[in-house]
Amino acid sequence: MKINGKAYRTIWVNEDQWSVTVIDQTKLPHEFETLRIASADDAARAIKDMIVRGAPLIGATAAYGLCMALREDASDAALEAAYAMLAETRPTAINLKWALDAMVDAVKPLPARERVAAAYARAAKICDDDVEICRRIGVQGVGLIRAIADKKSGGVVNVLTHCNAGWLACVDWGTALAPIYMAHDEGIKIHVWVDETRPRNQGASLTAFELGRHGVAHTIIPDNAGGHLMQHGQVDMCIVGTDRTTARGDVANKIGTYLKALAAHDNGVPFYVALPYTTIDWTLDDGVAEIPIEQRSAREVTHMTGRTDKGAIETIEISAPGSGAANYGFDVTPARLVTGLITERGVTPATREGLLSLYPEHKNAG
Amino acid sequence: MKINGKAYRTIWVNEDQWSVTVIDQTKLPHEFETLRIASADDAARAIKDMIVRGAPLIGATAAYGLCMALREDASDAALEAAYAMLAETRPTAINLKWALDAMVDAVKPLPARERVAAAYARAAKICDDDVEICRRIGVQGVGLIRAIADKKSGGVVNVLTHCNAGWLACVDWGTALAPIYMAHDEGIKIHVWVDETRPRNQGASLTAFELGRHGVAHTIIPDNAGGHLMQHGQVDMCIVGTDRTTARGDVANKIGTYLKALAAHDNGVPFYVALPYTTIDWTLDDGVAEIPIEQRSAREVTHMTGRTDKGAIETIEISAPGSGAANYGFDVTPARLVTGLITERGVTPATREGLLSLYPEHKNAG
């Protein structure tokens, strides 16, 4: 994606060829700042504090974190310690674990002196693969949007999305937003309803920022508004991302996704989930019962940061002082509410059979 | 309700016996300020700017606005002009119209010289009646909470509410919160999940403030969280208010209510709506098709006001600059998702038959 005319990925290796730089997503949309990550600790902090977020980008950042840990100490013990530290930074997104496992698989068989180079090569491949996977998700998903545009005889296609599953959540392109970018680029009239996505407002701050830079028409709405819009025919389809998808197609995504899926179901609006294969957890079935849901600080709910009219960045308390708050990061949308899964290999019903038809190599998993 | 040990209603006539004072609800929870209203224009502005809000309190404020208009000019023409100006301040809440109609009924038959005194008497009665009606809603609703407490053998009853339908929305007591206050007062262990209720955060700022002052255990949650809590058995019942209820039991309430009703239905959680008879619009049936939904300023979505750590009140932009926002004030929950209506006359299914069983005088309406 281009920011101010310059092409960016969300993470890249610096000229020193070992440290990496990321975009500080906690500063968006008001400031575009980058942050250098120079150790596994830095990487863990960046993930925990949500300087980087989005399942694929978390995986890529953790992969480079492991590279830097090995650079300091390439022993098995150091590898295991770094793995454990990075794996616990965010409990819900499964491709954090996937990326770390891929790294271990690549370096563990090697003698210590070969591990660092192999690790950097594997991390680079994780990033390159993610870009290609997201591009393919876009190619698969744009057909769904095109079909609606055709049915509406070229009328505007209104898509609702929740949170940010765009290029900022990945290395480039995005998952849920990839089909939207491609539809826009091929001239389909498209308008996106952007759920602001409290408490951290990734929709209003990141998705709106992305869509605006790419010139895609969009409108920010409170998370409360989607049901009303669907009742009144203002939403043609929903597309969201996922942080973990079970073998039968339940999806854990940003808190509030389930409510939109219920409204879509109640109003006959197609509800699609876009995902790379790396977010599928073949070991789980029942997402509500089995996927661990991260709980975060109450302060993310009771306080907000933004820019005053004078340009200063301020943090304010927005709720009654003394009242506590709960902050669950994700909820689970049961497969029965999902119209289809858009993966890099194709679009399929959210069922075990559907997923296995695309990933037959997992027939004996779970 | 008591604030800092002093009993308050939300609106009262001053010692001059003609102007009224209200609590400035835009300043809560950070500051407790009152505002004197000395003309119909003042009253209209207070309603439009949400210095006062909540269907019953809007009605009471409009009633006093009409009194002040008559005080300046008690002619039919002035009465009609003030009615029109006050009626258009908020389009969704029907008891604004109810209160204005009640005022007109009381003063229209009288000669001009008698109208002012009659108007003030009628407005006072609207307020007194509202207090008594809300008290009765509490008495009717507390039985539902008690039944759950009994079933849980005295375990904590978890109630979810959306927006503010407490004493700040009424003259005293509240509608949805009245049963909660009474349950708390009679020693039932109760805990309230308070939807923050974006964009104006009436839950986090007003409901949390009210419950805190009364000593009721509560936790603020983002509007996105209720579905997750219900999936995990953390909600025993929902109680919300309504700004307009159709003859068949559809309810218009703060935007996002519909999403919670869907989640309650999907998880077998009872979903109750508390209302005084003044919010029933016997002329309407299909709420989604027929109830006008107010649209408000985008700035309410893109900006927030709160208190910095240093104690200053600041307004900040919280979304991507240049992105537009839509701001629908209400949505409609179809009667099929409502377990029961709690009115001052009893609890009834959300059906035409149910409502008519409590209000047989409307058998020929609609």
Side-chain angles (χ1 to χ4, degrees), chain A residues 29-30 162 193 196-199 201 204-205 208-209 218-225 227-229 231-232 255-256 258-260 262-263 266-267 288 293 299 301 303-309 314-321 323-326 328 330-332 334 336, chain B residues 29-30 162 193 196-199 201 204-205 208-209 218-225 227-229 231-232 255-256 258-260 262-263 266-267 288 293 299 301 303-309 314-321 323-326 328 330-332 334 336:
Chain A
H30 301 296
H162 191 70
W193 295 110
E196 61 174 355
T197 319
R198 285 279 294 150
N201 267 32
S205 60
F209 171 84
H218 64 283
T219 305
I220 297 167
I221 49 173
D223 302 305
N224 285 322
H228 171 75
L229 293 171
Q231 285 178 319
H232 290 273
I255 189 86
Y258 166 54
L259 296 171
K260 292 305 137 60
L262 285 167
D266 200 46
N267 292 285
V288 173
I293 300 297
R299 195 176 160 94
V301 178
H303 290 66
M304 285 211 86
T305 299
R307 188 161 58 180
T308 67
D309 283 349
E314 287 277 6
T315 297
I316 56 173
E317 186 172 26
I318 56 169
S319 55
S323 293
Y328 297 87
F330 302 86
D331 63 18
V332 173
R336 66 184 150 88
Chain B
H30 300 297
H162 190 69
W193 295 109
E196 62 175 354
T197 320
R198 285 278 296 149
N201 267 32
S205 60
F209 171 84
H218 64 282
T219 305
I220 296 167
I221 49 173
D223 302 305
N224 284 323
H228 171 75
L229 293 171
Q231 285 178 318
H232 290 272
I255 189 84
Y258 166 55
L259 296 171
K260 293 304 136 60
L262 285 167
D266 200 45
N267 292 285
V288 173
I293 300 296
R299 196 177 159 92
V301 178
H303 290 66
M304 286 209 86
T305 300
R307 189 160 58 179
T308 67
D309 283 349
E314 288 277 8
T315 297
I316 57 173
E317 187 171 26
I318 56 170
S319 55
S323 293
Y328 297 88
F330 303 86
D331 64 16
V332 172
R336 65 184 152 88

Side-chain angles (χ1 to χ4, degrees), chain B residues 59-83:
Chain B
T61 307
Y64 278 114
L66 211 64
C67 292
M68 292 175 213
L70 291 172
R71 210 170 152 265
E72 284 176 21
D73 179 350
S75 69
D76 281 5
L79 178 64
E80 275 161 34
Y83 180 107

Side-chain angles (χ1 to χ4, degrees), chain B residues 16 60 144-145 196 294:
Chain B
D16 61 20
L144 300 167
I145 299 173
E196 62 175 354
E294 176 181 4

Side-chain angles (χ1 to χ4, degrees), chain A residues 343-362:
Chain A
T343 86
E344 74 284 355
R345 291 195 190 171
V347 180
T348 181
T351 60
R352 170 176 288 277
E353 297 68 38
L355 278 170
L356 285 176
S357 73
L358 295 182
Y359 302 97
E361 65 270 32
H362 286 279

Side-chain angles (χ1 to χ4, degrees), chain B residues 112-125:
Chain B
R113 71 178 182 284
E114 294 174 20
R115 284 179 172 176
V116 174
Y120 275 96
R122 187 69 187 92
K125 186 165 156 46

Side-chain angles (χ1 to χ4, degrees), chain A residues 13 15 54-55 66 88 91 134 145 207 211 226-227 237 254 304 322 325 362:
Chain A
V13 178
E15 285 186 8
L66 212 64
E88 71 167 21
C134 286
I145 299 174
T207 299
L211 294 173
M237 71 188 304
K254 184 55 53 194
M304 285 211 86
H362 286 279

